[in-house]
Amino acid sequence: MEFERDEGKALLCCARPRSDVVVEGDVDVEEGVTTHPVRDFTGTVAAIEDCATDTRRLTVDLDDDIAFNPGQYLQVSVPGTRVTRTYSMANPPSDRRRIELHVRRVRGGLATDGWIFKNLVIGDELRVSGPYGRFFFHEMRNEPVLLIAGGTGLAPIKSMVQHVLAGEAQQQMTLYQGARSVDMLYDVDFFRTLEEERPGRFRYRPCLSAQEVDGFETGLVTDVLDREMASCRDHVAYVCGPPPMVDAAIKTLMGKRLFPRDIYREDFFDESDKASGGLKSPLLKR
Ligand SMILES: Cc1cc2nc3c(=O)[nH]c(=O)nc-3n(C[C@H](O)[C@H](O)[C@H](O)COP(=O)(O)OP(=O)(O)OC[C@H]3O[C@@H](n4cnc5c(N)ncnc54)[C@H](O)[C@@H]3O)c2cc1C
């Protein structure tokens, strides 16, 4: 934001130095969290699946192992340009070579409409770097977990769910997955099976905002959460998806007595969100 530039602040993650520089980082170190260095990888597309309307699952084999915290993302170079786009890893960190990405088509989008949904094929090479991001599962927190995902915002949440259920941690988790209609929801069977296999550990609430279908909750994720939870006190929440949905979820959670320190968010913003200037500053930590 302009006022932050005036204060001499900069987003080093997307700046290009013109000469040698010394960077002094004021980095929060959280107990129990391992920070994994960013590295460059070459990936090969192993599978492409149309898993929901305008939604693709890409399986990509990397040329080396990647270490990351569940919830983090990669930057993918768009071929023929100097542009990168960010996509969250949906696989758990235990899958070190094979990554899963969920990509939603954006009409007129450079990477999605112009490449991933147009001419990307199995066997293509991808240039990726990572891991990035501060949206990841906080293992040290023992409170019950609310996971709220809109659209492909499911990707980092799926990574978290698989990681937690495979490990020592004992947190109870509830996943609210939202979409307009049933054709836009994906991985429903995957999460229903997990719910059956792990009663008491994992609850699943698929929510449809524009359709009534047996076996699905009706309403926005925030409506369903509002109906089900009298209070969210003593929980921790992870929210991911389009910025308006994330904002609405945070309002609902705070109205249910959850404090900002208990809410972790990832906004899947794109170039139009950046251009409209409606974003919170990325310099804010949450
Ligand atoms: C941390 C993070 C993680 C993400 N993870 C995922 C993920 O796992 N899955 C996923 O599907 N998405 C994810 N995203 C979103 C993703 O990075 C891309 O923004 C999205 O795929 C759209 O990219 P695109 O190049 O196709 O569209 P863009 O080129 O960004 O265009 C998007 C829209 O904006 C319009 N537009 C372009 N430039 C301008 C301009 N200057 N002014 C006004 N309008 C403009 C375009 O016409 C189009 O309609 C994530 C975003 C972030 C920030």
Side-chain angles (χ1 to χ4, degrees):
M1 289 176 175
E2 283 308 325
F3 78 89
E4 291 168 319
R5 281 182 212 275
D6 293 343
E7 289 169 11
K9 293 181 179 165
L11 278 178
L12 297 189
C13 59
C14 53
R16 239 169 238 281
R18 294 191 185 144
S19 65
D20 289 351
V21 288
V22 175
V23 178
E24 192 177 302
D26 176 14
V27 180
D28 286 342
V29 178
E30 189 180 323
E31 202 192 326
V33 174
T34 309
T35 304
H36 301 288
V38 171
R39 293 173 49 213
D40 292 321
F41 299 87
T42 302
T44 306
V45 179
I48 301 175
E49 180 201 349
D50 288 309
C51 53
T53 299
D54 284 338
T55 309
R56 283 201 155 166
R57 186 196 318 274
L58 304 185
T59 308
V60 179
D61 288 334
L62 299 180
D63 59 342
D64 202 356
D65 287 355
I66 184 168
F68 65 98
N69 295 317
Q72 288 192 292
Y73 62 84
L74 295 174
Q75 285 194 348
V76 180
S77 299
V78 182
T81 72
R82 294 179 62 165
V83 169
T84 58
R85 293 288 187 250
T86 48
Y87 296 102
S88 305
M89 286 167 277
N91 53 297
S94 53
D95 295 346
R96 293 173 159 264
R97 280 286 173 115
R98 173 157 279 203
I99 56 167
E100 177 182 333
L101 306 176
H102 303 166
V103 183
R104 188 178 70 85
R105 180 183 212 145
V106 180
R107 299 285 161 193
L110 182 75
T112 55
D113 229 9
W115 171 45
I116 295 171
F117 284 80
K118 188 177 175 194
N119 50 18
L120 183 75
V121 292
I122 292 173
D124 279 359
E125 277 200 353
L126 302 184
R127 286 197 300 121
V128 302
S129 66
Y132 297 97
R134 297 181 56 84
F135 181 72
F136 52 78
F137 193 77
H138 295 257
E139 315 243 356
M140 305 296 277
R141 305 201 58 162
N142 295 318
E143 301 97 323
V145 181
L146 300 170
L147 304 158
I148 303 175
T152 46
L154 184 68
I157 303 266
K158 184 178 178 187
S159 175
M160 292 179 190
V161 169
Q162 294 177 96
H163 175 74
V164 175
L165 292 180
E168 308 278 300
Q170 288 303 314
Q171 292 96 334
Q172 292 177 334
M173 295 180 287
T174 304
L175 167 59
Y176 295 90
Q177 181 190 8
R180 281 179 56 75
S181 48
V182 79
D183 60 300
M184 301 185 82
L185 270 191
Y186 61 97
D187 283 345
V188 174
D189 290 343
F190 175 86
F191 289 110
R192 285 201 204 282
T193 305
L194 275 189
E195 185 178 38
E196 271 170 36
E197 289 173 355
R198 309 300 291 269
R201 283 297 308 285
F202 178 67
R203 288 170 68 233
Y204 178 49
R205 293 288 178 272
C207 312
L208 302 177
S209 62
Q211 211 182 20
E212 283 187 30
V213 179
D214 278 352
F216 295 82
E217 304 295 326
T218 307
L220 297 166
V221 277
T222 43
D223 300 331
V224 178
L225 182 83
D226 191 37
R227 284 202 298 269
E228 287 200 341
M229 303 275 301
S231 166
C232 296
R233 197 187 288 273
D234 298 330
H235 285 67
V236 59
Y238 295 83
V239 185
C240 185
M245 173 257 153
V246 172
D247 278 341
I250 285 170
K251 267 190 205 135
T252 304
L253 291 166
M254 289 179 67
K256 301 248 166 211
R257 302 287 176 268
L258 208 57
F259 292 102
R261 64 168 181 266
D262 302 320
I263 306 173
Y264 301 94
R265 69 187 286 169
E266 187 81 286
D267 296 68
F268 277 6
F269 55 80
D270 63 19
E271 290 305 304
S272 67
D273 297 310
K274 285 187 205 165
S276 69
L279 291 174
K280 75 181 171 68
S281 165
L283 290 169
L284 296 174
K285 297 227 166 79
R286 262 180 228 159

